C-alpha cells in the first residue's frame, strides 16, 4: 500500500511525471471495478426520534417474532450438520493470506480461511460438538471464553488437555446453558494475535425484549505490519493496522439499517488495546457484556462504550436518525492506517520551499528538529537524487490510489495560503488522513449512495451505521441481493432466503 510518507515526498518536480504514468494504470483498475448501479441514494428524511437518550427510544413497538440472526460482516457464520440432537461444527486452523485493505495483504492464522474465524450461532439448551483440526505448523488448542462448562473442554494446552499437534484433531462437547456474546480463541498468545479468534453467539431460549430487527457483530483487531510486509509482528506492543472484522477502513462494510429499526451491535475485543467505540448521531444503551445480558434496570446510556481486552459489549438503540453515521474507535491513532513518528514540518521534503518556512529560516526549528526517522531520511534523499526507486508491483499499488496530480492540487486548495508558516503543519492535510480516494477500490452495494470521495476520510477502525429511509433502504438491499455473492453474511436480510445457523435450527425443529 502506498503510505502517506511516500505520498508526502512527492515533490512538484516528479509529480507531473508520476501523473502521466499513473493515469493509464488507474484507468485500467477503475474500469475493472463494478460501479454503483443506478442513481445515488443519499440518506435523507426527517428525524423520527424524541430527545436524545430518551428511554422512550428503547422500544420500536415491534413484537418479537423470534431472534434475528447475528450478522458478522466480512466473516459470516460457521455452518453445522445435525447428528441426532447434536449440532456438529467443523473448525480448521490454518495459515493463509488475507486482504485487509486496498492493496494490503497479511499472512494470518485463522479458522476455515477467515481471520477472525466464522461466527458460531447456537441457542440455549443446544448440544453442540466442535471438531477442531490443526493444520498449523505448531501445536495449538481453542479456549472457549466465558463458557460455564467442564474443565476438559476449556481448551487450556497442558492444563485441561494435551496440546493439539500439527495434523491432529480434538473434539469439544458443550451443552449451551448461557446466553449472550461469547468467543473462542487460541490460548497460545501469539497465535491469538495472528488472527485466531472468533465469536460464539448464544441466543436466548426466550427472545430478548425489546426486539431488535438488526443484530450485528464486530471484532476489534490489531496488526503490526510494516510497509511492503505481509507477516504481522505479533511481538510488537504497538500496532499500525486497526481492523473491524478483519478489514481496515475504508475496506470495512457498513451496517445497513432501515430508519426506525432497533439495532444491536456486539463488540468483541481480543486485541492488545482497549477500544472506546463511538457511534455518531444516536444514544445507545449498553445491554450486555461477555457475562451475558444485563438486567434492563442496569442498562446505561452513552454514545461511546469502552471495550476492554477480553471483553464484549452489546449496545442497542432505535436508529431513528437518518444518515451515514460513523462508527469508530475514538483513540486518534486507531482512526488511521500506518502510524508514523513525525508530525508537522518534519514530514516535508527538505528542498520544499524552505523560504516559506520562517521557523527553519530563522533557526527556530524546535519542531523540525524532532525525531527524524533514518528510514525517512533515506526516502527523502532518494527523492532529491531523482525519482524514487519503485518496483513494478509498488508502482501498480501506487497507481491504484487516486493520488494523481489533480488530486494533490485539489487537496492543496483545501489548506490555507499561509499553511506552511503555521507551526506543526501539516497534521491531517496531505497526511494519511484525508488524502487518498479509494471509492472505486472498495466499491460494494452496501456503499451505494455514499458521498463522493468519502474514502478519503475513513481509515483504521472506522465504518458506518447507514440509517436509511425505507425507499433508500430497499434500493440498497436490492443491490446487495443482486450481487449474488457466495457466503454473503447479509443473506438473512433478503427475506425468505435466510441460511443462517438460527434459521437452520428453526428448520430442524419444525
Amino acid at each position: 500500500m502506498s503510505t502517506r510518507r511516500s505520498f508526502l515526498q512527492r515533490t512538484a518536480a516528479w509529480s507531473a511525471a508520476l501523473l502521466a504514468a499513473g493515469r493509464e494504470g488507474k484507468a485500467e483498475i477503475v474500469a475493472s471495478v463494478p460501479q454503483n448501479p443506478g442513481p445515488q441514494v443519499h440518506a435523507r428524511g426527517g428525524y423520527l426520534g424524541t430527545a436524545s437518550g430518551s428511554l422512550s427510544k428503547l422500544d420500536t413497538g415491534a413484537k418479537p417474532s423470534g431472534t434475528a440472526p447475528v450478522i458478522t460482516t466480512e466473516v459470516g457464520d460457521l455452518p453445522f450438520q445435525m447428528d441426532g440432537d447434536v449440532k456438529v461444527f467443523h473448525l480448521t486452523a490454518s495459515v493463509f493470506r488475507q486482504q485487509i485493505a486496498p492493496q494490503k495483504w497479511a499472512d494470518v492464522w485463522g479458522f476455515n480461511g477467515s481471520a477472525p474465524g466464522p461466527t458460531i450461532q447456537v441457542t440455549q439448551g443446544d448440544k453442540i460438538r466442535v471438531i477442531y483440526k490443526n493444520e498449523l505448523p505448531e501445536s495449538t488448542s481453542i479456549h472457549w471464553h466465558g463458557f460455564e462448562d467442564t474443565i476438559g473442554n476449556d481448551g487450556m494446552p497442558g492444563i485441561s488437555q494435551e496440546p493439539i499437534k500439527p495434523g491432529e484433531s480434538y473434539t469439544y462437547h458443550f451443552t449451551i446453558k448461557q446466553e449472550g456474546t461469547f468467543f473462542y480463541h487460541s490460548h497460545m498468545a501469539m497465535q491469538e494475535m495472528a488472527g485466531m479468534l472468533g465469536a460464539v453467539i448464544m441466543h436466548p431460549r426466550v427472545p430478548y425484549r425489546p426486539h431488535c430487527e438488526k443484530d450485528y457483530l464486530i471484532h476489534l483487531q490489531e496488526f503490526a505490519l510494516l510497509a511492503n510486509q505481509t507477516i504481522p509482528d505479533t511481538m510488537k506492543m504497538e500496532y499500525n493496522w486497526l481492523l473491524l472484522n478483519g478489514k481496515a477502513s475504508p475496506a470495512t462494510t457498513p451496517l445497513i439499517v432501515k430508519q426506525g429499526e432497533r439495532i444491536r451491535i456486539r463488540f468483541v475485543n481480543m486485541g492488545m488495546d482497549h477500544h472506546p467505540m463511538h457511534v455518531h448521531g444516536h444514544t445507545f444503551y449498553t445491554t450486555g457484556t461477555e457475562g451475558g445480558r444485563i438486567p434492563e434496570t442496569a442498562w446505561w446510556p452513552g454514545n461511546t462504550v469502552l471495550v476492554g481486552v477480553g471483553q464484549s459489549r452489546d449496545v442497542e438503540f432505535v436508529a431513528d436518525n437518518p444518515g451515514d453515521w460513523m462508527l469508530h474507535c475514538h483513540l486518534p491513532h486507531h482512526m488511521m492506517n500506518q502510524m508514523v513518528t513525525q508530525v508537522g514540518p518534519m514530514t516535508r521534503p527538505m528542498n520544499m520551499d524552505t523560504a516559506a518556512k520562517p521557523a527553519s529560516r530563522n533557526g527556530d526549528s524546535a519542531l523540525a528538529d524532532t525525531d527524524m526517522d533514518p528510514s525517512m531520511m533515506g526516502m527523502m534523499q532518494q527523492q532529491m537524487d531523482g525519482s524514487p526507486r519503485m518496483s513494478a508491483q509498488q508502482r501498480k499499488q501506487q497507481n491504484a490510489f487516486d493520488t494523481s496530480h489533480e488530486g494533490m492540487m485539489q487537496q492543496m486548495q483545501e489548506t490555507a495560503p499561509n499553511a506552511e508558516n503555521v507551526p506543526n503543519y501539516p497534521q491531517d492535510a496531505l497526511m494519511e488522513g484525508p488524502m487518498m480516494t479509494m471509492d472505486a477500490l472498495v466499491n460494494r452495494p452496501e456503499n451505494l449512495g455514499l458521498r463522493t470521495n468519502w474514502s478519503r476520510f475513513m481509515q483504521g477502525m472506522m465504518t458506518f451505521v447507514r440509517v436509511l429511509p425505507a425507499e433508500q433502504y430497499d434500493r440498497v438491499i436490492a443491490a446487495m441481493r443482486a450481487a449474488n455473492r457466495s457466503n454473503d453474511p447479509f443473506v438473512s436480510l433478503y427475506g425468505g432466503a435466510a441460511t443462517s445457523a438460527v434459521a437452520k435450527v428453526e428448520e430442524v425443529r419444525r
Side-chain angles (χ1 to χ4, degrees), residues 193-204:
M193 290 307 300
M196 293 185 64
L197 54 102
V200 179
I201 303 301
M202 299 183 186
H203 291 285

Side-chain angles (χ1 to χ4, degrees), residues 470-487:
E471 180 182 355
Q472 297 154 20
Y473 171 86
D474 290 343
R475 293 174 63 185
V476 171
I477 292 295
M480 294 163 59
R481 182 191 296 115
N484 193 28
R485 296 167 290 194
S486 60
N487 302 318

Side-chain angles (χ1 to χ4, degrees), residues 192-387:
E192 184 180 314
M193 290 307 300
M196 293 185 64
L197 54 102
V200 179
I201 303 301
M202 299 183 186
H203 291 285
R205 190 192 309 271
V206 177
Y208 293 141
R209 289 177 178 274
H211 176 64
C212 285
E213 287 85 1
K214 296 288 191 304
D215 198 336
Y216 287 102
L217 185 144
I218 296 177
H219 290 278
L220 314 177
Q221 284 180 282
E222 304 147 321
F223 286 137
L225 271 171
L226 296 177
N228 297 322
Q229 287 191 349
T230 59
I231 299 176
D233 187 347
T234 55
M235 293 301 291
K236 285 284 186 183
M237 299 294 286
E238 294 183 349
Y239 303 88
N240 57 345
W241 286 91
L242 290 303
L243 314 176
L244 301 179
N245 287 345
K247 299 286 186 183
S249 193
T252 53
T253 299
L255 312 185
I256 305 300
V257 188
K258 182 189 294 184
Q259 186 181 8
E261 287 184 330
R262 181 180 176 85
I263 177 177
R264 178 182 300 116
I265 304 174
R266 306 169 188 250
F267 297 105
V268 174
N269 182 8
M270 286 304 299
M272 276 287 291
D273 296 314
H274 307 316
H275 298 287
M277 300 306 297
H278 175 56
V279 176
H280 289 206
H282 294 83
T283 298
F284 57 64
Y285 280 79
T286 300
T287 61
T289 72
E290 71 280 1
R293 184 79 163 174
I294 299 173
E296 186 170 342
T297 52
W299 294 354
W300 69 90
N303 50 56
T304 303
V305 61
L306 183 62
V307 189
V309 175
Q311 292 183 331
S312 70
R313 291 290 181 270
D314 299 347
V315 302
E316 299 177 17
F317 59 96
V318 176
D320 53 5
N321 196 5
D324 300 320
W325 300 104
M326 291 182 71
L327 184 164
H328 63 92
C329 177
H330 224 294
L331 287 177
H333 280 193
H334 294 183
M335 294 187 283
M336 60 178 72
N337 301 324
Q338 303 278 24
M339 288 184 285
V340 297
T341 56
Q342 287 84 27
V343 296
M346 207 56 195
T347 62
R348 315 294 283 169
M350 288 178 173
N351 61 346
M352 189 170 182
D353 194 19
T354 52
K357 296 180 179 179
S360 297
R361 186 176 62 243
N362 299 331
D364 182 14
S365 55
L367 285 170
D369 287 339
T370 58
D371 195 21
M372 188 58 178
D373 188 327
S375 63
M376 191 167 182
M377 284 285 290
M379 289 189 292
M380 294 172 70
Q381 188 61 49
Q382 279 188 24
Q383 287 186 227
M384 287 185 288
D385 294 342
S387 296

Side-chain angles (χ1 to χ4, degrees), residues 1-244:
M1 172 179 179
S2 178
T3 67
R4 67 177 180 182
R5 288 177 180 166
S6 62
F7 177 82
L8 288 168
Q9 292 162 7
R10 292 177 199 155
T11 62
W14 61 269
S15 61
L18 176 62
L19 170 64
R23 279 175 175 160
E24 183 179 352
K26 186 176 69 177
E28 293 176 356
I29 293 169
V30 171
S32 66
V33 177
Q35 300 301 301
N36 281 337
Q40 293 278 295
V41 181
H42 292 293
R44 59 180 182 278
Y47 177 50
L48 300 182
T50 55
S52 178
S54 169
L55 287 172
S56 66
K57 294 172 65 175
L58 285 174
D59 198 348
T60 62
K63 296 181 180 178
S65 56
T67 298
V70 171
I71 298 170
T72 310
T73 59
E74 332 290 349
V75 175
D77 295 337
L78 183 65
F80 63 87
Q81 296 84 42
M82 296 300 299
D83 180 8
D85 62 347
V86 179
K87 297 174 184 171
V88 181
F89 297 88
H90 291 265
L91 204 56
T92 301
S94 64
V95 182
F96 49 91
R97 182 162 292 185
Q98 176 170 297
Q99 187 170 12
I100 62 172
Q103 304 300 322
K104 186 65 178 179
W105 284 262
D107 293 308
V108 297
W109 294 27
F111 300 101
N112 294 36
S114 177
T119 297
I120 296 175
Q121 300 200 46
V122 295
T123 302
Q124 262 183 315
D126 283 347
K127 298 177 182 177
I128 71 171
R129 182 188 311 149
V130 181
I131 302 172
Y132 179 40
K133 184 177 182 182
N134 180 14
E135 294 185 355
L136 301 174
E138 62 186 34
S139 297
T140 185
S141 71
I142 298 183
H143 171 55
W144 303 88
H145 195 109
F147 280 37
E148 297 175 357
D149 220 288
T150 58
I151 184 66
N153 292 289
D154 194 45
M156 299 293 295
I159 306 297
S160 63
Q161 67 171 83
E162 291 300 316
I164 308 169
K165 297 177 182 177
E168 294 184 348
S169 296
Y170 190 90
T171 302
Y172 297 91
H173 302 269
F174 303 103
T175 297
I176 302 302
K177 307 170 185 175
Q178 300 155 268
E179 43 77 23
T181 306
F182 298 86
F183 27 103
Y184 61 90
H185 59 86
S186 168
H187 217 281
M188 315 286 272
M190 296 300 100
Q191 293 178 5
E192 184 180 314
M193 290 307 300
M196 293 185 64
L197 54 102
V200 179
I201 303 301
M202 299 183 186
H203 291 285
R205 190 192 309 271
V206 177
Y208 293 141
R209 289 177 178 274
H211 176 64
C212 285
E213 287 85 1
K214 296 288 191 304
D215 198 336
Y216 287 102
L217 185 144
I218 296 177
H219 290 278
L220 314 177
Q221 284 180 282
E222 304 147 321
F223 286 137
L225 271 171
L226 296 177
N228 297 322
Q229 287 191 349
T230 59
I231 299 176
D233 187 347
T234 55
M235 293 301 291
K236 285 284 186 183
M237 299 294 286
E238 294 183 349
Y239 303 88
N240 57 345
W241 286 91
L242 290 303
L243 314 176
L244 301 179

Side-chain angles (χ1 to χ4, degrees), residues 391-451:
S391 67
Q393 179 65 21
Q394 289 172 323
R395 181 76 64 185
K396 179 181 178 181
Q397 292 177 2
Q398 179 172 278
N399 290 339
F401 301 98
D402 187 3
T403 55
S404 64
H405 182 72
E406 291 91 339
M408 293 176 64
M409 294 301 103
Q410 176 186 345
Q411 291 162 39
M412 288 179 177
Q413 292 171 6
E414 297 171 356
T415 60
N418 66 338
E420 292 287 350
N421 295 333
V422 177
N424 225 6
Y425 169 84
Q427 289 296 316
D428 284 308
L430 308 181
M431 298 283 282
E432 62 186 296
M435 186 176 69
M436 294 179 286
T437 294
M438 292 178 261
D439 295 13
L441 285 171
V442 296
N443 185 41
R444 56 167 55 89
E446 291 83 358
N447 296 340
L448 178 66
L450 290 174
R451 184 186 292 270

